[in-house]
Amino acid sequence: MLGTRNKFAQRIALACAALFAAAGQAAVSEDFAGLVDIGGGRKMYLECRGTGSPTVVLVAGLKGSAEDWNIAKGSGPTVFAEVAKFTRVCAYDRPGTPVGEKPSRSNPVPQPTTAGEAVADLHALMRAAGEARPCVLVGHSYGGLVVRLYASSYPEDVSGLVLVDALTEGLRDAETPEQWAIQRKLMEGDIRESLALYPALERNDPDRSFDQLLAAPPMRPMPLIVLSADHPWGPLVPGFIADGLLP
């Protein structure tokens, strides 16, 4: 039996396939993996494979690189490989997203960043790479916030969205200021050791990112699929308190 990660890879691939009625231009056909000059003296890592249209762009969660979409349990399928079977698929490294024990392949930027900055980078990257648009955007966790803001900012570039356990501004709205302060600690986690080893590690300012999304134009109607897994966090809280991670 496939593990949970492998089943999720297949579900994401099926969700992408379900949005193909909104296909746009023909996609670039050559496989690519390397650095793309996005201007301003910066380069970002991009990996694309397969043929077909629309192109699917995978946007990882916080501190997640393109390699996250190439991870599977055992010998099971990966999201990147599954989507590449039926259309073109691209994934990329945001600045500060480690690849295993190695630093991000994209040039570093000052941290923390915001969803707005991530949107600007992705827009510059796709245009510099010459990838066809409109695309289907797949956003996991923090990446879900990024793709929603992208769709609001560049509606002509997006033909559909897949949100995978996506972060939402509703989380802050649903909590008291005291609860939100605790939630922010949970979202970032204890990264003191990681920052000591990798000062350029990606960090996000959720309040500024949420405010950017709330100030953006309404997202135009488009195909949208939401995938969500329910894992209980409650049993972990006593351990967080004991370790001093929560008050």
Side-chain angles (χ1 to χ4, degrees):
M1 179 180 293
L2 292 175
T4 301
R5 181 187 290 273
N6 299 339
K7 290 180 180 178
F8 220 49
Q10 293 176 324
R11 288 169 184 162
I12 293 173
L14 288 172
C16 294
L19 300 184
F20 276 21
Q25 308 169 27
V28 178
S29 60
E30 294 182 358
D31 291 352
F32 175 83
L35 293 174
V36 177
D37 190 334
I38 65 167
R42 293 177 53 207
K43 294 182 179 180
M44 293 184 68
Y45 178 82
L46 177 69
E47 183 174 351
C48 299
R49 188 190 307 168
T51 60
S53 179
T55 298
V56 172
V57 181
L58 305 171
V59 183
L62 192 67
K63 300 188 284 289
S65 70
E67 191 61 24
D68 282 27
W69 302 100
N70 283 307
I71 298 173
K73 185 175 182 180
S75 59
T78 68
V79 173
F80 196 85
E82 285 293 291
V83 177
K85 289 179 180 179
F86 55 83
T87 193
R88 186 162 180 80
V89 59
C90 297
Y92 69 107
D93 291 2
R94 288 190 305 272
T97 54
V99 183
E101 298 298 319
K102 298 180 180 180
S104 174
R105 292 164 289 195
S106 296
N107 292 151
V109 298
Q111 299 289 345
T113 58
T114 66
E117 291 166 313
V119 166
D121 280 354
L122 179 55
H123 187 248
L125 176 62
M126 296 304 290
R127 288 188 175 274
E131 290 295 329
R133 298 173 301 278
C135 303
V136 170
L137 299 181
V138 180
H140 171 241
S141 189
Y142 168 61
L145 200 69
V146 174
V147 302
R148 287 177 55 215
L149 183 57
Y150 193 106
S152 293
S153 303
Y154 302 104
E156 69 283 358
D157 285 359
V158 183
S159 59
L161 295 179
V162 179
L163 304 179
V164 185
D165 287 333
L167 177 64
T168 170
E169 70 281 6
L171 181 63
R172 181 180 65 178
D173 294 341
E175 296 179 341
T176 66
E178 293 77 15
Q179 291 171 331
W180 176 237
I182 295 173
Q183 184 67 56
R184 285 194 56 154
K185 291 183 179 181
L186 283 171
M187 290 167 59
E188 184 165 270
D190 187 356
I191 58 173
R192 290 171 293 183
E193 183 177 347
S194 297
L195 285 175
L197 296 172
Y198 184 26
L201 181 70
E202 182 181 50
R203 299 165 63 201
N204 171 248
D205 185 331
D207 285 300
R208 289 178 60 201
S209 295
F210 290 161
D211 290 344
Q212 289 168 346
L213 188 63
L214 292 170
M219 195 171 70
R220 69 169 177 81
M222 68 177 63
L224 169 66
I225 293 176
V226 177
L227 301 177
S228 181
D230 185 12
H231 296 284
W233 283 92
L236 301 177
V237 171
F240 289 150
I241 295 174
D243 293 339
L245 302 178
L246 291 176

